[in-house]
Amino acid sequence: MNPVWIIDDDRSIRWVFEKALTREEIAFKSFGSAAEALASLEAGAPPPQVLVTDIRMPGESGLSLLQKFKARFPALPVIIMTAYSDLDSAVSSFQGGAFEYLPKPFDLPKAVELIRRAVEESLREESSD
């Protein structure tokens, strides 16, 4: 299984996910920006099992990242996080192919369960190929 990728410019959000995923024994990589994640992919890193990204970040947005990853990996589950829960963002996320929309602040056990469901979906997709 490939790692789950966490992309958020907020270091504290990444830290919380890193601790929770470590405890759950879910492999992960975390990035502070969309550019870092894309650079890792271009450098030959295997694609993530699940992508968890914030919408609003300096530089490239999470929605733009969603489009780029979905173009290359259509079956990849992508979870979009945002502190700015508005209908337009949610609609744009789902229209772009997001697996789920996670408003901040979130309940950590529920967020981890959501990631676990996304991983299971990803593994099901791989086994049906």
Side-chain angles (χ1 to χ4, degrees):
M1 181 177 102
N2 291 344
V4 170
W5 285 14
I6 307 294
I7 304 159
D8 197 312
D9 60 310
D10 184 335
R11 180 183 298 278
S12 63
I13 296 288
R14 293 193 315 268
W15 184 86
V16 165
F17 270 118
E18 289 167 4
K19 296 300 174 204
L21 294 176
T22 298
R23 199 170 37 249
E24 295 293 319
E25 298 181 352
I26 297 173
F28 66 86
K29 286 180 79 169
S30 60
F31 303 93
S33 68
E36 286 177 26
L38 290 168
S40 181
L41 196 61
E42 295 307 318
Q49 198 72 43
V50 171
L51 181 69
V52 182
T53 183
D54 192 18
I55 284 186
R56 294 189 186 178
M57 299 180 284
E60 196 160 353
S61 76
L63 290 176
S64 171
L65 193 63
L66 169 67
Q67 291 173 337
K68 288 182 176 178
F69 270 82
K70 282 302 213 172
R72 289 179 68 176
F73 313 104
L76 175 69
V78 179
I79 298 169
I80 297 288
M81 298 183 291
T82 184
Y84 307 95
S85 298
D86 63 80
L87 188 57
D88 288 344
S89 295
V91 168
S92 296
S93 297
F94 286 119
Q95 285 177 336
F99 177 77
E100 194 57 75
Y101 185 78
L102 184 63
K104 294 178 186 174
F106 48 81
D107 177 68
L108 189 57
K110 287 182 180 172
V112 170
E113 180 55 33
L114 177 59
I115 290 171
R116 197 176 286 292
R117 281 197 345 255
V119 166
E120 289 168 4
E121 175 68 20
S122 178
L123 292 171
R124 257 195 311 277
E125 285 289 328
E126 283 177 7
S127 68
S128 69
D129 286 348

